[in-house]
Amino acid sequence: MADSELPTRPKPEEAKEAAPAEGGESKNASKNALKKAAKEKAKAEKAAARAAQEKAQAAAAEANDTAKDLYGPIPETEDVIPITRFSELSEEYYEKEVTVVARVDNARVQSAKLAFLMLRQQGQKVQAVIAAAEPISRQMIKYTGGLNVNSIVQVTGIVKKPEIPISSATISHLELHIRKVYLISEAAQMLPMQVKDAERPPPTEAEEGQVDAEGAPIVTLKTRLDNRVLDLQTETSQAITWISSGVAQLFSEYMIKSGSRWIFTPKLVSAATEGGSNVFEVKYFKRNAYLAQSPQLYKQMCIAGDMENVFEIAPVFRAEESNTHRHLTEFAGLDFEKTFQSHYHEVLEFAENLLVFILTQLKERYAAQIAIIQKSYPKAGDFKLPKDGKALRLNYMDGVALLKEAGVDMSEQERFENDFTTAMEKQLGGIIREKYDTDFYVLDKFPMAVRPFYTKADPKDSRFSNSYDFFMRGEEIMSGAQRINDFKELEESMRAKGLDPTQEGFEDYLNAFRQGCPPHAGGGLGMNRIVMFFLGLPNVRLATLFPRDPQRLRP
Amino acid sequence: MADSELPTRPKPEEAKEAAPAEGGESKNASKNALKKAAKEKAKAEKAAARAAQEKAQAAAAEANDTAKDLYGPIPETEDVIPITRFSELSEEYYEKEVTVVARVDNARVQSAKLAFLMLRQQGQKVQAVIAAAEPISRQMIKYTGGLNVNSIVQVTGIVKKPEIPISSATISHLELHIRKVYLISEAAQMLPMQVKDAERPPPTEAEEGQVDAEGAPIVTLKTRLDNRVLDLQTETSQAITWISSGVAQLFSEYMIKSGSRWIFTPKLVSAATEGGSNVFEVKYFKRNAYLAQSPQLYKQMCIAGDMENVFEIAPVFRAEESNTHRHLTEFAGLDFEKTFQSHYHEVLEFAENLLVFILTQLKERYAAQIAIIQKSYPKAGDFKLPKDGKALRLNYMDGVALLKEAGVDMSEQERFENDFTTAMEKQLGGIIREKYDTDFYVLDKFPMAVRPFYTKADPKDSRFSNSYDFFMRGEEIMSGAQRINDFKELEESMRAKGLDPTQEGFEDYLNAFRQGCPPHAGGGLGMNRIVMFFLGLPNVRLATLFPRDPQRLRP
């Protein structure tokens, strides 16, 4: 049975629920407004009279209604009725009575004696049918078929095997024969967007404003994000938000198992220390504060505070005027910092194993969600991990060589003074997938010129640094490095990068090293990007609950 | 052996490390500065000559030094030497050689043939001793005894049983007889505060600026927080930061086990919706944004988005000019929101069990840390939990009655229009501890007048609401409630509280309910307060890594 747009029709419960005229509203009305108020009052009285008449008619109908206790607003009770979830339903339920709580995905009156509901629960759909047969009345059928789309209902019914599978339902091998239907929360009659219209991938530019083969409107990503609460109700969004939750959970699981301490560093900071113009300014009582662009300086201060192994999960703020598919002004940062004994590769290996753990476990624990997402985004299921469970690690210069082989040659100067462009990164991702059969890999030893001041130079070749980036499908998800832990070296590095060590804001940071600090390394991951690239989503906003960019602060 | 302040003395490595004059610095000097530069050059040359002479002398001494490879800056090597941690050390190590990495807590030259180091690792202390005997040279003893306090060293030595236990060490039944000592990171000679001076509870007002019985300065909380990195190195701070980490871990553990989804809602919001003046304003490109005071509206929007059971761990921002022992302008919020079937007490019980789980597990898993904190803060170990593992739940009016019994009578009006004052809350906490033998309890059914607009009124008595506060030692750690999930009721509640539902910022929130929303309840916990009250700390700043208040934005 194909879903169809719900026609506008008279609704019995509207009559019942006509709002009483609100008292007290004209209390402060000025004399000039009195005439207008009188007019409105007359109008309201007329409406009230009409409502009263309809109410009387409805009451008369109700008196003859054999089903009057079987539908309508949910009765108040503290009894706990056993509720069955859609995910529990199976053939074993055939001929059994169940009670479910779900949204109305669609409601349709077929005839005075027959109506259909499509019920939706976290994106999963089950069909329910109501037919006239004692004690089900015509009024109850009319009420059921007239329910507003997206309303939440409690439905009791018998699970039956349908004659033919219901192709428009996600659970197609059973349907519910309604006995009772109660309204828990009523949705407005007009919704700004239909949830089912958000169930497909966002359209290409050419498709915007078009309708699809079945005549349904193709909603743009903007419309979906403007109506994100409705958009979250789709099966795909439900699955994606589970993957996000999973990334955070797996990150914390790995860190805690490694003996790492969970830290909460301040987001309100006194100075813009990590590169001036990309910082949001905050009015802080009588002075200014700034929003931390990363917990970098503070997690290092925790290391100087002898905490040895720390992690943080917290928002990161970037005042960048970047309007791309992968930039946000606020995202969830997964940060860690760790001491090492002899070589920063101890920490690099720790981080590589972290990512292998997260990505492997996502595939294992969220196979059901990935399968759902794959229906809209075909790449979701094809993320390739290294077969031996060990991350592929190449040096930056290996990347340069691989690109050269493919015909992309960087000049000597470019190699040491620039980083790869996004296009080059993507191309390299393709080459590495081809050659090494993995979508996750690490580049080590980036040129010193492209890394921040706190990065430790390679002691064997100062053109390079002890720093690394992590990539998924050729796009960066993490940046990290060994940090300079010697005070004098740090001061010199600041000066070499044109920064002033005496600037306010650097003082507390520098003191941490002046007082002795063990060698350490770390990294910062973008959670939303991990979700995006793991699932092969076209836009990071799809991997973000309520995305923020230079244009978007709502909802 | 009593710790004593380190005297200033000449240091051999200072001579060795005299920095070479930096080239290139006068590159851009203007003509006017040339004369000054020439003067400085002459001065630098003099210094260089002096340094060269000292270096030559040091080299001569070194030539006769039988121990010259056994001390000094740590040699570069990628070999991984097995490192023993202080926590592993026991009698089983007597007469064995170990290598440790630790800070110099104190260094003292006893004679030309004998020196002592007190070593510190995450607050734990072990004494090390160095005595002249082949191949240990007098130069090595001088070097060791002259190490700057707080420097990080790698020490190899034989574990010995001391003749009498070393009372100033935390591990008093063994000492280390030094064979090698290498400098990993040197601390400056002058520190703004000694770590050992931060090892006691902050002084009372009367004690500020005083010295203790042994003549050591009593450092104030301000000094400790100004030098928080040093302060974090104390045994007590190490233990407290583990408790904070534990609270976050236990919260997420409980939520994940309950099937809750981890969410990340935006902290940058478009309007100040939760009570105007206490919100920080942010410059957001060409307009203003605000920092979310709580994830309240967004976690409810997730519920409207069919996510059913969600939690968040994220900073919360309050622009309150409150300078008290328990207020911060930024703290870690632990938030949850959950649908229920018949009654909000389903969620309340869920939250009660959450707190019982966290507090019980803190006692179990962090017994060692609690014992350490107890040395400075005696209440740390005496937090009373309900014996039967069930939270004590009273109604607000029961609290009013208990206070009345104790002679604190609120007028009829006060009962329904005010909340308890902080003093009343504390008194009630004492009464409840006395009567019910618990430091954790819940008050349910607060007056509607004192709760925010989204709170559901008690359907049986609209003077009250379906809302609850959680208390530890008589101070609030959580506020929560059933939320209004009906659109019209929500609009009316807003108007009743003097809010304008048409205000920008409410639109997205209200739409979520206009589109249908299941009944739900939730709560928000202050992580720092849980740590503070659980341990009986006198100030929430002690339970915060880098606290923020109206006066403090640093470090």
Side-chain angles (χ1 to χ4, degrees):
Chain A
M1 166 174 320
D3 292 328
S4 64
E5 282 295 293
L6 203 70
T8 308
R9 71 187 88 67
K11 298 174 56 62
E13 73 278 17
E14 275 185 350
K16 283 188 206 164
E17 284 187 13
E22 275 179 44
E25 280 216 328
S26 60
K27 209 157 55 181
N28 299 318
S30 71
K31 274 193 176 177
N32 291 350
L34 277 182
K35 207 171 158 187
K36 198 180 161 202
K39 229 179 185 174
E40 274 174 8
K41 201 183 161 200
K43 209 169 152 191
E45 276 167 1
K46 239 184 195 167
R50 198 168 50 236
Q53 190 190 1
E54 281 174 14
K55 203 173 172 183
Q57 286 170 350
E62 209 175 78
N64 296 322
D65 188 351
T66 52
K68 66 173 187 285
D69 296 329
L70 304 181
Y71 70 100
I74 191 158
E76 289 227 3
T77 170
E78 291 187 13
D79 296 347
V80 176
I81 300 154
I83 300 288
T84 305
R85 293 189 62 83
F86 282 10
S87 55
E88 296 170 53
L89 290 175
S90 71
E91 282 108 7
E92 285 173 27
Y93 281 82
Y94 284 157
E95 303 306 323
K96 286 186 184 152
E97 186 179 280
V98 295
T99 298
V100 299
V101 171
R103 288 198 187 261
V104 175
D105 190 61
N106 197 10
R108 192 164 54 90
V109 180
Q110 181 87 342
S111 70
K113 294 185 175 179
L114 187 66
F116 294 93
L117 288 184
M118 185 62 80
L119 297 175
R120 172 165 46 81
Q121 188 176 86
Q122 294 192 318
Q124 282 197 297
K125 291 177 195 166
V126 169
Q127 178 168 276
V129 57
I130 184 164
E134 272 299 313
I136 309 285
S137 62
R138 288 184 179 217
Q139 293 98 316
M140 182 173 172
I141 290 167
K142 193 175 169 191
Y143 173 86
T144 305
L147 284 164
N148 284 356
V149 166
N150 230 46
S151 296
I152 300 170
V153 289
Q154 178 178 303
V155 173
T156 301
I158 311 291
V159 177
K160 297 268 187 187
K161 184 177 180 167
E163 280 174 41
I164 50 161
I166 299 147
S167 63
S168 56
T170 52
I171 301 173
S172 56
H173 61 294
L174 47 81
E175 65 180 7
L176 211 54
H177 287 220
I178 297 174
R179 291 285 175 88
K180 295 177 190 166
V181 53
Y182 297 121
L183 188 63
I184 292 176
S185 175
E186 186 178 39
Q189 221 173 336
M190 289 293 289
L191 296 180
M193 174 183 88
Q194 297 296 314
V195 171
K196 61 172 166 289
D197 294 333
E199 273 170 350
R200 286 154 299 173
T204 60
E205 247 175 72
E207 287 169 336
E208 282 197 12
Q210 307 290 307
V211 292
D212 69 8
E214 285 160 34
I218 297 175
V219 297
T220 62
L221 181 58
K222 183 181 177 303
T223 304
R224 287 179 52 182
L225 294 177
D226 285 344
N227 300 285
R228 186 61 163 154
V229 170
L230 288 171
D231 187 46
L232 285 176
Q233 294 171 13
T234 64
E235 203 185 16
T236 311
S237 294
Q238 288 290 325
I240 293 173
T241 52
W242 269 117
I243 302 286
S244 290
S245 175
V247 172
Q249 180 186 337
L250 291 164
F251 175 73
S252 65
E253 231 179 270
Y254 181 91
M255 294 309 299
I256 286 165
K257 219 178 289 173
S258 85
S260 185
R261 228 176 299 188
W262 198 331
I263 57 170
F264 296 85
T265 67
K267 304 306 147 203
L268 290 166
V269 295
S270 66
T273 42
E274 267 192 276
S277 66
N278 296 336
V279 184
F280 288 114
E281 195 180 294
V282 182
K283 239 171 95 180
Y284 194 79
F285 304 102
K286 286 188 181 82
R287 54 183 155 165
N288 283 337
Y290 302 89
L291 288 178
Q293 280 175 291
S294 86
Q296 183 60 37
L297 306 192
Y298 282 94
K299 64 185 180 167
Q300 288 194 259
M301 284 158 77
C302 288
I303 293 296
D306 287 352
M307 293 176 76
E308 292 186 2
N309 184 357
V310 296
F311 73 102
E312 177 156 22
I313 303 174
V316 160
F317 304 96
R318 302 277 163 89
E320 286 171 37
E321 190 87 55
S322 298
N323 296 288
T324 78
H325 70 295
R326 63 177 196 175
H327 283 91
L328 296 170
T329 52
E330 177 183 346
F331 61 88
L334 310 176
D335 268 89
F336 64 93
E337 203 70 25
K338 199 173 176 324
T339 57
F340 61 84
Q341 189 190 331
S342 308
H343 199 278
Y344 79 100
H345 280 177
E346 296 165 33
V347 177
L348 178 52
E349 203 183 318
F350 171 86
E352 288 168 349
N353 292 342
L354 162 68
L355 261 290
V356 169
F357 173 76
I358 291 175
L359 299 172
T360 310
Q361 290 298 312
L362 278 181
K363 285 202 163 195
E364 259 186 59
R365 300 190 200 176
Y366 297 90
Q369 282 83 0
I370 292 168
I372 287 166
I373 298 162
Q374 214 167 356
K375 291 192 279 180
S376 298
Y377 303 101
K379 282 184 182 175
D382 78 353
F383 192 89
K384 289 193 178 188
L385 278 167
K387 299 275 174 302
D388 58 358
K390 278 271 164 209
L392 172 68
R393 187 196 303 168
L394 301 173
N395 279 347
Y396 170 80
M397 286 303 281
D398 299 330
V400 170
L402 284 171
L403 281 170
K404 192 179 175 182
E405 272 175 40
V408 184
D409 200 4
M410 294 166 91
S411 73
E412 195 69 8
Q413 194 186 341
E414 279 171 341
R415 288 175 186 188
F416 296 111
E417 293 182 11
N418 298 351
D419 195 348
F420 299 126
T421 62
T422 306
M424 283 159 88
E425 280 178 357
K426 280 195 191 169
Q427 194 176 349
L428 186 57
I431 295 168
I432 288 175
R433 186 182 229 246
E434 193 72 29
K435 185 163 179 177
Y436 297 99
D437 203 33
T438 178
D439 283 315
F440 167 61
Y441 51 90
V442 172
L443 293 186
D444 191 16
K445 299 261 172 242
F446 272 78
M448 190 61 201
V450 302
R451 309 299 280 201
F453 71 87
Y454 44 74
T455 310
K456 178 89 176 170
D458 182 345
K460 288 172 194 146
D461 184 344
S462 63
R463 293 174 306 171
F464 295 104
S465 63
N466 286 356
S467 72
Y468 36 82
D469 276 1
F470 284 21
F471 293 87
M472 286 171 66
R473 302 192 200 255
E475 302 202 59
E476 190 226 307
I477 51 144
M478 185 184 110
S479 209
Q482 177 179 351
R483 326 297 186 178
I484 297 171
N485 68 316
D486 179 81
F487 170 65
K488 283 173 202 156
E489 197 179 329
L490 191 56
E491 265 197 335
E492 276 160 31
S493 177
M494 280 181 163
R495 289 213 176 87
K497 295 268 183 192
L499 295 167
D500 177 5
T502 64
Q503 186 200 316
E504 198 210 313
F506 282 137
E507 195 182 330
D508 300 316
Y509 178 66
L510 281 170
N511 272 339
F513 300 93
R514 211 179 259 124
Q515 295 154 7
C517 182
H520 61 285
L525 291 149
M527 189 198 72
N528 314 62
R529 284 201 185 177
I530 295 179
V531 175
M532 173 193 184
F533 298 132
F534 176 71
L535 296 172
L537 304 179
N539 197 305
V540 72
R541 290 162 185 80
L542 293 163
T544 309
L545 264 183
F546 297 96
R548 293 292 179 257
D549 64 34
Q551 267 65 54
R552 182 175 290 283
L553 259 178
R554 286 179 58 186
Chain B
M1 165 174 321
D3 291 330
S4 64
E5 284 294 292
L6 201 70
T8 309
R9 72 189 86 68
K11 297 175 56 62
E13 74 278 17
E14 274 185 350
K16 283 189 207 165
E17 283 187 12
E22 274 178 47
E25 279 216 328
S26 61
K27 208 158 56 181
N28 298 318
S30 70
K31 274 194 177 178
N32 291 351
L34 277 184
K35 207 171 156 186
K36 198 180 160 200
K39 229 179 186 171
E40 275 174 7
K41 201 184 162 197
K43 208 169 151 191
E45 276 166 1
K46 239 184 196 167
R50 198 167 51 237
Q53 190 190 1
E54 281 173 14
K55 204 174 172 181
Q57 286 169 350
E62 211 173 75
N64 296 323
D65 188 351
T66 51
K68 67 176 189 281
D69 296 329
L70 304 180
Y71 70 100
I74 191 159
E76 290 228 1
T77 169
E78 291 188 14
D79 296 349
V80 176
I81 299 154
I83 299 289
T84 305
R85 293 188 62 83
F86 283 10
S87 56
E88 296 170 53
L89 290 174
S90 70
E91 282 109 3
E92 284 174 27
Y93 279 82
Y94 285 158
E95 303 306 325
K96 286 187 183 151
E97 185 179 281
V98 296
T99 299
V100 300
V101 171
R103 287 196 188 262
V104 175
D105 191 59
N106 197 10
R108 192 165 53 90
V109 179
Q110 181 87 343
S111 71
K113 294 186 176 180
L114 186 67
F116 294 93
L117 288 184
M118 185 61 80
L119 297 175
R120 171 164 47 81
Q121 188 177 86
Q122 294 192 319
Q124 282 196 298
K125 290 177 197 167
V126 169
Q127 178 169 275
V129 57
I130 184 164
E134 273 299 314
I136 309 284
S137 62
R138 288 185 179 217
Q139 292 97 317
M140 182 174 172
I141 291 168
K142 193 175 172 193
Y143 173 86
T144 305
L147 285 164
N148 283 355
V149 167
N150 231 46
S151 295
I152 301 170
V153 288
Q154 178 178 303
V155 174
T156 301
I158 311 290
V159 177
K160 296 271 187 187
K161 184 177 180 168
E163 279 172 39
I164 50 162
I166 299 148
S167 63
S168 56
T170 53
I171 301 174
S172 56
H173 60 294
L174 48 82
E175 65 180 6
L176 212 54
H177 287 221
I178 296 174
R179 289 285 175 89
K180 295 177 191 166
V181 53
Y182 297 121
L183 188 62
I184 292 176
S185 175
E186 186 176 39
Q189 224 174 334
M190 290 292 289
L191 296 180
M193 174 183 88
Q194 297 297 313
V195 171
K196 61 171 167 291
D197 294 333
E199 273 170 352
R200 287 155 298 175
T204 60
E205 246 176 76
E207 287 168 337
E208 282 198 10
Q210 307 290 307
V211 293
D212 67 10
E214 286 160 34
I218 298 175
V219 297
T220 62
L221 181 58
K222 182 181 177 306
T223 304
R224 288 180 50 182
L225 294 177
D226 285 345
N227 299 286
R228 187 60 161 154
V229 170
L230 288 171
D231 188 46
L232 286 175
Q233 294 171 15
T234 65
E235 202 185 16
T236 310
S237 293
Q238 289 290 325
I240 293 173
T241 52
W242 269 118
I243 302 287
S244 290
S245 175
V247 171
Q249 179 186 337
L250 291 164
F251 175 74
S252 66
E253 231 179 271
Y254 182 91
M255 294 310 299
I256 287 165
K257 219 178 289 173
S258 84
S260 185
R261 227 176 300 187
W262 197 333
I263 56 170
F264 296 84
T265 68
K267 304 306 147 202
L268 289 166
V269 297
S270 66
T273 42
E274 268 192 275
S277 66
N278 295 335
V279 184
F280 288 114
E281 196 180 293
V282 181
K283 239 171 94 180
Y284 194 79
F285 304 102
K286 288 189 180 81
R287 54 183 154 164
N288 284 337
Y290 302 89
L291 288 177
Q293 280 175 293
S294 87
Q296 183 61 37
L297 306 192
Y298 282 93
K299 64 184 179 167
Q300 288 193 258
M301 283 158 78
C302 288
I303 293 295
D306 287 352
M307 293 176 75
E308 292 187 2
N309 184 357
V310 296
F311 73 102
E312 178 158 21
I313 302 173
V316 160
F317 304 96
R318 303 276 163 90
E320 285 171 40
E321 189 88 55
S322 298
N323 296 288
T324 77
H325 71 295
R326 63 177 196 174
H327 283 90
L328 296 170
T329 52
E330 177 182 346
F331 60 87
L334 309 176
D335 268 89
F336 65 92
E337 203 70 26
K338 200 174 176 322
T339 56
F340 62 84
Q341 188 189 332
S342 308
H343 199 279
Y344 78 100
H345 280 177
E346 296 164 34
V347 178
L348 178 52
E349 204 184 318
F350 171 85
E352 288 168 349
N353 292 342
L354 162 67
L355 261 291
V356 170
F357 173 75
I358 291 175
L359 298 172
T360 310
Q361 290 298 312
L362 278 182
K363 286 202 163 197
E364 259 186 59
R365 300 190 200 176
Y366 297 90
Q369 282 84 1
I370 293 168
I372 287 167
I373 298 163
Q374 214 169 355
K375 291 192 279 179
S376 298
Y377 303 101
K379 282 183 180 177
D382 78 352
F383 192 90
K384 289 193 177 188
L385 278 167
K387 299 275 173 302
D388 59 357
K390 277 270 164 212
L392 172 70
R393 187 195 304 167
L394 301 172
N395 280 347
Y396 169 82
M397 285 304 281
D398 299 330
V400 170
L402 284 171
L403 282 169
K404 191 179 177 182
E405 272 175 40
V408 185
D409 201 4
M410 295 167 91
S411 74
E412 195 68 9
Q413 194 186 344
E414 279 172 341
R415 288 177 187 187
F416 296 111
E417 293 181 12
N418 299 352
D419 196 347
F420 298 125
T421 62
T422 305
M424 284 159 88
E425 280 179 356
K426 279 194 191 170
Q427 194 176 350
L428 185 57
I431 295 167
I432 288 175
R433 186 182 228 248
E434 193 72 29
K435 185 164 179 178
Y436 297 98
D437 203 31
T438 178
D439 283 316
F440 167 62
Y441 51 90
V442 172
L443 294 185
D444 191 17
K445 298 260 172 245
F446 273 77
M448 189 61 201
V450 302
R451 308 300 278 201
F453 71 87
Y454 43 76
T455 311
K456 180 90 177 169
D458 182 346
K460 288 171 191 148
D461 184 345
S462 63
R463 293 173 307 170
F464 294 104
S465 63
N466 287 356
S467 72
Y468 35 82
D469 276 1
F470 284 21
F471 293 87
M472 285 171 65
R473 302 192 199 256
E475 301 203 59
E476 190 226 308
I477 52 145
M478 185 186 110
S479 208
Q482 177 179 352
R483 326 297 186 178
I484 297 171
N485 67 317
D486 180 81
F487 170 66
K488 283 173 200 155
E489 196 179 330
L490 190 57
E491 264 198 335
E492 277 160 29
S493 178
M494 280 181 165
R495 290 212 175 85
K497 295 269 183 192
L499 295 167
D500 177 6
T502 64
Q503 186 200 316
E504 198 211 313
F506 282 138
E507 195 181 328
D508 301 315
Y509 178 67
L510 282 170
N511 271 339
F513 300 93
R514 212 178 259 125
Q515 295 155 5
C517 181
H520 61 286
L525 291 149
M527 188 198 72
N528 313 63
R529 284 200 184 176
I530 296 178
V531 174
M532 173 191 182
F533 299 132
F534 176 71
L535 296 172
L537 304 179
N539 197 305
V540 72
R541 290 161 185 79
L542 292 163
T544 309
L545 264 183
F546 297 97
R548 292 294 179 255
D549 64 34
Q551 268 65 53
R552 181 175 291 284
L553 258 178
R554 286 179 57 186

